[in-house]
Amino acid sequence: MRWKERWQGILILVLLVGFWAVGGPAQNSGDIFSPSGPKDADSREPLPNTGPSRRLKLQKESFEQTQKDTAQLYDLTSQLKKDMDNTNEDVLSITVMKKAEEIEKLAEKIKNRMKNL
């Protein structure tokens, strides 16, 4: 029973994170951290070590890493679904358990990063 509750919680978290990362309004507006829109890599000036521009840069990097981790989470859950389809109720492989733990850790990492965005 505990496994089923954990699986449902992970699935709900994956769906919420995926919905947030894919359907967010920031995706359509170009560079959300710059009011003037995206800039070329050559025209960027080095950012100071402190202040709002550093915070925005770190926030952007965090957002991009969250998107990458969300894609990885989606891949892992797809693999877990395939593995679960190949098992029966009498046998649960160790690789499925390890994959579920990896998904849980990655989902927790994404959740904590999203709290800080």
Side-chain angles (χ1 to χ4, degrees):
M1 189 70 172
R2 189 172 186 207
W3 170 254
K4 188 176 182 180
E5 292 170 357
R6 200 179 251 183
W7 172 249
Q8 289 173 344
I10 290 171
L11 185 59
I12 289 170
L13 183 61
V14 167
L15 292 174
L16 289 174
V17 169
F19 176 76
W20 175 78
V22 173
Q27 300 262 336
N28 298 331
S29 62
D31 188 359
I32 63 171
F33 301 104
S34 174
S36 62
K39 296 181 180 179
D40 294 331
D42 299 329
S43 66
R44 291 185 184 164
E45 298 176 14
L47 295 176
N49 291 336
T50 59
S53 57
R54 177 171 170 77
R55 183 180 52 82
L56 289 176
K57 180 182 177 193
L58 293 174
Q59 190 175 13
K60 182 178 180 180
E61 290 172 358
S62 178
F63 181 77
E64 290 170 352
Q65 185 62 43
T66 301
Q67 286 180 316
K68 290 176 186 175
D69 287 346
T70 303
Q72 182 183 1
L73 185 63
Y74 178 78
D75 292 340
L76 284 172
T77 54
S78 298
Q79 292 171 12
L80 181 62
K81 172 74 170 112
K82 289 177 186 175
D83 291 346
M84 287 300 295
D85 289 342
N86 294 332
T87 62
N88 61 28
E89 65 272 359
D90 296 329
V91 179
L92 188 62
S93 70
I94 293 176
T95 57
V96 170
M97 295 293 290
K98 287 183 180 181
K99 196 167 287 187
E101 288 176 4
E102 188 177 346
I103 289 170
E104 191 174 15
K105 288 177 186 176
L106 186 58
E108 185 70 25
K109 181 179 169 184
I110 291 170
K111 183 177 83 171
N112 289 335
R113 190 178 302 120
M114 287 172 58
K115 284 181 181 179
N116 296 324
L117 274 178

